[in-house]
Amino acid sequence: MKASNGKIHRALPGPSIIPDKVLQAMQRPAPNIYGGELENITHSILEEIALLAGTKGRVVLYISNGHGAWEAAISNLFRKGDKVLIISTGVFGSNWGKMADKMGLNTIYLEYGMEDILDFDDLAKIISNDKNHEIKGILTVQSDTASSILTDINKVRHVLDEHNHPALFLVDSIACFGCDEMHMDKWGIDVLLTASQKGLMAPPGLSYLIINDKAEEEAKKITEKSAYWDWGPRLEPSKFYEIYCGTAPTHLLFAQKAALDIIREEGKDNIINRHLILAKTVWKAIEIWQQEGPLNFNVKHEKNRSKAVTTVVAKKFDLKPLKDWVETNTGVELGISLGFDGEDYFNGNSAFRIAHMGHLNPHMILGVISSIEMGLIATNVPFKLGGVENAMTYLAEAINS
Ligand SMILES: *Cc1c(COP(=O)(O)O)cnc(C)c1O
């Protein structure tokens, strides 16, 4: 019996679900790329991104995915041989580090694998031992999309301040921008990275570097850099097209503007609260399921979990039949595991991810967890029944309060 016809729900942590209004905004002919409407749209996008970041700093927009933003940040701020510290609590920090390696930087790592959060004592030790301030930059990820670990960015800043360390503080918030809290200026972030296809609800292809005065000044000292990534001319264009170093990504801008209109209408505070209660709804289900059988949170403590994505693990247990059953029979696609390799993790098949980022409301998130609970029954995974009920009870109360 096939029951899955209807709308497919992709619970993948990027690209996230694109609202109909955003899709429709792209159904139009190509505009003039030399100014006019496109210029207004560009400036309104840059303003909205700065507001969401919580900064008085400026925003540089690139035609690229998140990897492009990684390279742009490095290219503008560092010289070959500069020492940078990479903090990795999953997959994305180390991948950013590998890029820095390729670009000739001298990288050192605080590497925690897939399960462990940053140990702030380790960080304090490295920072306090760096008496000559050889470390020029700290590269950090706010929410690692693979492990779903959330790093306390404010606390990293405190460690740098306690030791009066002048390193540039770079934060990749690509996974959780517009989902987890972000206060760029208050948290002393010098460069914040994000991209269009996750909390920002638009197709992939736009990335953003949000930069403060310190970053702008440091970048001016770097004389040799990639002409395309150089943010100088993009910030001070003599002609409009120089903002893009060429043709503007016209339809992606229409889409991003429409998405930011939705975001502005809802309001930043409500968006952060909605993500919190929808994330907790998922956690309330898992809290019950994990009481029997192999399922578990990858991140044990709630305060270390991202509000954009949750990684579920079942060590040494094959969850592929569950994922396949859910996809074939319910119209829900779950995120594949990333970084959970080897025997312990059944070569990647003992984990999956539930995205709860962006365009999402209670019936969508309840549909996802109910489909998983059905799948657990149908594929004979041992678990404790009652997760969905627990989630519904929580959510009803959270909405009313
Ligand atoms: C998605 C993501 C990236 C990479 O973005 P791409 O668009 O795939 O290049 C980088 N960092 C984090 C934390 C992400 O979630």
Side-chain angles (χ1 to χ4, degrees), residues 15 23 123 131 139 165 178-179 203 253 326:
L23 291 171
L123 178 65
K131 302 276 186 262
L139 276 52
H165 200 289
C179 311
L253 297 173
V326 169

Side-chain angles (χ1 to χ4, degrees), residues 46 58-62 207-211 231 234-235:
L46 301 182
R58 296 211 277 177
V59 182
V60 191
L61 203 175
Y62 292 100
S207 74
Y208 304 92
L209 293 191
I210 311 159
I211 59 180
W231 68 43
R234 293 166 181 264
L235 287 171

Side-chain angles (χ1 to χ4, degrees), residues 65-67 70 92 141 143 145 172 174-175 197-198:
N65 59 15
H67 283 69
W70 280 349
F92 289 82
V141 175
S143 280
T145 330
D172 167 350
I174 296 172
Q197 79 271 28
K198 295 181 185 173

